[in-house]
């Protein structure tokens, strides 16, 4: 559908002014931002390493310990099936733990940094 309106002018787009690049760089170097990063890393890295190790254990046992993984637990359910379901359970637990950690530790710090940067504009 064609309109009679003229095309928008080229150039700067009007809108709220944001912090400058220098403000972001200064904030990145601040102690408060460093604490936020440490709080994230101290949770994310160990849990990531633990989960990858747990997953690799499952893969290695599946490849090299077939007898163990074929051991029946109940009926037709074997150890491999239980380990496979445990992978899903572990994934959901990690997501839940991270959500709680982020709500308690990361979000308040990030919100403080954000509001301070918005107030400086």
């Amino acid at each position: 559908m064609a309109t009679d309106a003229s095309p928008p002018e080229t150039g700067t787009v009007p809108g709220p002014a944001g912090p400058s690049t220098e403000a972001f760089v200064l904030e990145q170097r601040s102690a408060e931002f460093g604490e936020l990063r440490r709080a994230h890393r101290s949770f994310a890295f160990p849990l990531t390493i633990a989960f990858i190790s747990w997953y690799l254990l499952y893969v290695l046992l599946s490849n090299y310990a077939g007898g163990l993984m074929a051991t029946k637990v109940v009926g037709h359910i074997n150890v491999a099936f239980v380990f496979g379901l445990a992978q899903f359970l572990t994934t959901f637990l990690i997501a839940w733990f991270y959500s709680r950690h982020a709500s308690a530790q990361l979000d308040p710090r990030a919100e403080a940094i954000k509001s301070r940067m918005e107030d400086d504009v």
Side-chain angles (χ1 to χ4, degrees), residues 4 6 8 10 17-18 22 26 31 35 37 39-40 51 54 57 61 70 72 74-75 78 88-89 91 107 111 114:
D4 293 330
S6 60
T10 58
E22 293 80 20
L26 287 174
E35 290 173 14
R37 288 175 47 185
H40 172 70
F51 182 77
W54 161 239
L57 174 68
L61 287 175
K72 301 286 183 185
V74 176
N78 60 16
F88 286 101
L89 178 64
T91 301
D107 293 347
E111 186 59 38
K114 177 184 170 197

Side-chain angles (χ1 to χ4, degrees), residues 64-108:
Y64 299 110
L68 170 69
M69 297 299 269
T71 303
K72 301 286 183 185
V73 177
V74 176
H76 293 292
I77 298 175
N78 60 16
V79 172
F81 187 72
V82 172
F83 268 51
L85 290 178
Q87 293 291 320
F88 286 101
L89 178 64
T90 306
T91 301
F92 290 114
L93 284 174
I94 289 172
W96 180 67
F97 284 138
Y98 181 77
S99 174
R100 288 181 45 148
H101 173 73
S103 295
Q105 300 292 324
L106 304 179
D107 293 347

